[in-house]
Amino acid sequence: MMIDIDLLLSYGATYKRVPKGNIIFSEGDNCSFYYQLLTGRVNWLNINDNRNEFIQMLIDPGECFGELPLFDNEPYGESAIADEDSVVIRLYKPVFNQLIRENVAIHFNFSKLLAQRIRFRFMLLHSFACHDPVERIKTLLNYFKKENKNFCIESRQLKLTRQQIADMTGLRVETVIRAMRHMHEAGAVLIENGKVFC
């Protein structure tokens, strides 16, 4: 979901450059802003005590992130870190609340977005009950194909690394590599020169 940039600016939103690897907000922080990605890519993730990452979602340009605390006034449940040099536009939380009160269609779109993101989480959690790594990966890839996300539209090349897939499925990267090789042999994906195509 993307709120019109001119509308955000008319409410006082500001641009912020975020170099690759920089933290935008951390799990447990209080929420002060609405964030929308303009350029780059952001990892929306949890990091456990062993510094292992679990990617909740990869945010692409045009998408918002970190929106739950805007609605429930709780701290962030995850962190956001720039995966590459990025530019975000951010709007102060009280002003964001005013914006959605004055623009019912935007509020409705947020309800739809939250429902879609919850459905995605349920789908992933359901796949975790299946201990077969191939099924976990297939579930993730099928969702991304359906949503036209993380694939090059022309070539159907997957734009995720094996590490990112591992971080999204809770698998080890070695397991992902083996499972994807099995998927290639079964004809579910095509792997050429280390690149994955669906």
Side-chain angles (χ1 to χ4, degrees), residues 135-198:
E135 288 306 313
R136 282 193 197 184
I137 295 167
K138 277 185 184 177
T139 298
L140 186 70
L141 297 184
N142 286 337
Y143 173 81
F144 288 144
K145 280 194 311 192
K146 180 178 156 236
E147 296 296 317
N148 283 323
K149 187 169 170 61
N150 299 313
F151 280 97
C152 175
I153 294 172
E154 295 84 31
S155 68
R156 302 304 298 159
Q157 181 184 340
L158 181 64
K159 297 191 296 185
L160 298 173
T161 66
R162 272 58 160 199
Q163 183 65 58
Q164 288 170 322
I165 293 169
D167 291 344
M168 294 180 92
T169 57
L171 299 168
R172 296 181 59 208
V173 72
E174 296 83 4
T175 304
V176 170
I177 291 168
R178 279 194 306 274
M180 293 193 87
R181 192 175 310 123
H182 177 74
M183 291 168 68
H184 171 76
E185 291 165 0
V189 298
L190 174 65
I191 300 175
E192 286 184 357
N193 301 321
K195 295 181 171 108
V196 178
F197 300 86
C198 288

Side-chain angles (χ1 to χ4, degrees), residues 83-142:
D83 189 41
E84 54 189 59
D85 289 346
S86 302
V87 175
V88 298
I89 189 165
R90 62 185 193 170
L91 182 63
Y92 189 52
K93 180 180 175 180
V95 180
F96 170 80
N97 289 329
Q98 177 187 348
L99 183 149
I100 61 171
R101 277 195 303 273
E102 294 173 358
N103 296 274
V104 176
I106 292 173
H107 199 292
F108 178 77
N109 287 338
F110 266 101
S111 297
K112 183 177 178 182
L113 173 71
L114 291 172
Q116 289 169 336
R117 288 186 171 171
I118 289 169
R119 185 175 300 279
F120 173 68
R121 299 311 315 157
F122 282 159
M123 179 205 63
L124 275 187
L125 287 172
H126 183 264
S127 77
F128 286 5
C130 171
H131 298 290
D132 181 4
V134 169
E135 288 306 313
R136 282 193 197 184
I137 295 167
K138 277 185 184 177
T139 298
L140 186 70
L141 297 184
N142 286 337

Side-chain angles (χ1 to χ4, degrees), residues 4-62:
D4 181 74
I5 293 170
D6 290 334
L7 180 62
L8 288 170
L9 292 172
S10 74
Y11 276 82
T14 58
Y15 296 100
K16 181 175 181 175
R17 291 190 181 284
V18 186
K20 179 179 180 175
N22 279 26
I23 297 170
I24 299 167
F25 56 78
S26 295
E27 184 175 347
D29 287 353
N30 289 321
C31 174
S32 298
F33 296 97
Y34 163 78
Y35 290 99
Q36 186 168 297
L37 185 63
L38 297 180
T39 63
R41 193 173 204 181
V42 170
N43 286 337
W44 197 11
L45 50 81
N46 293 102
I47 303 171
N48 68 16
D49 294 337
N50 296 328
R51 306 301 301 160
N52 294 326
E53 296 180 356
F54 184 82
I55 297 175
Q56 298 291 344
M57 195 162 291
L58 295 167
I59 305 300
D60 291 318

